Amino acid sequence: MWFGNYKIKPVVRSVASAIQNMIDGVTKGHRYKMRAAFAHFPINMTVLNKGKALEIRNFVGEKHIKKITMLPGCEVRETDNRHQIIIEGIDLDSVALTCIVGLSVRRYY
């Protein structure tokens, strides 16, 4: 864009990046690898409902069991390492938001 002003150029670039992320998601998919890091309280993670939900026990020493349902289009699976999970999907925003909401102490809704 040659004659765009300083307000229009960022908007065009944001739309172009969103379209490129959509193309990459459909062709290759997006993958987040997450590992449970702990020093004292061992964190236990269990995949439920064929990858549509994740159950986290003993998160920061809590007695409460955190159950995270994946957003539409996301799927979680375990790896050979017991403390590592992989969250995959075609929508980058859904995969990233699932990671943030699931493993954070704060609330994002």
Side-chain angles (χ1 to χ4, degrees), residues 45-47 52-56 66-68 70 76 85:
M45 296 184 289
T46 307
V47 176
K52 296 296 179 189
L54 179 69
E55 186 178 82
I56 301 174
K66 292 179 81 170
K67 186 174 180 184
I68 298 114
M70 300 293 125
V76 64
I85 58 171

Side-chain angles (χ1 to χ4, degrees), residues 21-22 25 30-32 74 89-98:
N21 285 339
M22 290 178 201
H30 296 287
R31 175 183 294 174
Y32 274 48
C74 294
I90 61 171
D91 186 14
L92 179 63
D93 295 332
S94 295
V95 175
L97 190 61
T98 300

Side-chain angles (χ1 to χ4, degrees), residues 30-94:
H30 296 287
R31 175 183 294 174
Y32 274 48
K33 291 182 181 179
M34 300 191 73
R35 180 172 291 188
F38 57 90
H40 183 358
F41 301 109
I43 300 171
N44 298 324
M45 296 184 289
T46 307
V47 176
L48 304 173
N49 297 337
K50 299 179 184 175
K52 296 296 179 189
L54 179 69
E55 186 178 82
I56 301 174
R57 295 176 182 267
N58 206 16
F59 183 70
V60 196
E62 295 177 341
K63 295 294 180 186
H64 176 70
I65 299 170
K66 292 179 81 170
K67 186 174 180 184
I68 298 114
T69 56
M70 300 293 125
L71 292 175
C74 294
E75 187 173 301
V76 64
R77 62 184 172 96
E78 295 175 335
T79 60
D80 295 335
N81 187 353
R82 189 175 83 165
H83 302 293
Q84 185 174 358
I85 58 171
I86 295 176
I87 299 176
E88 296 178 321
I90 61 171
D91 186 14
L92 179 63
D93 295 332
S94 295

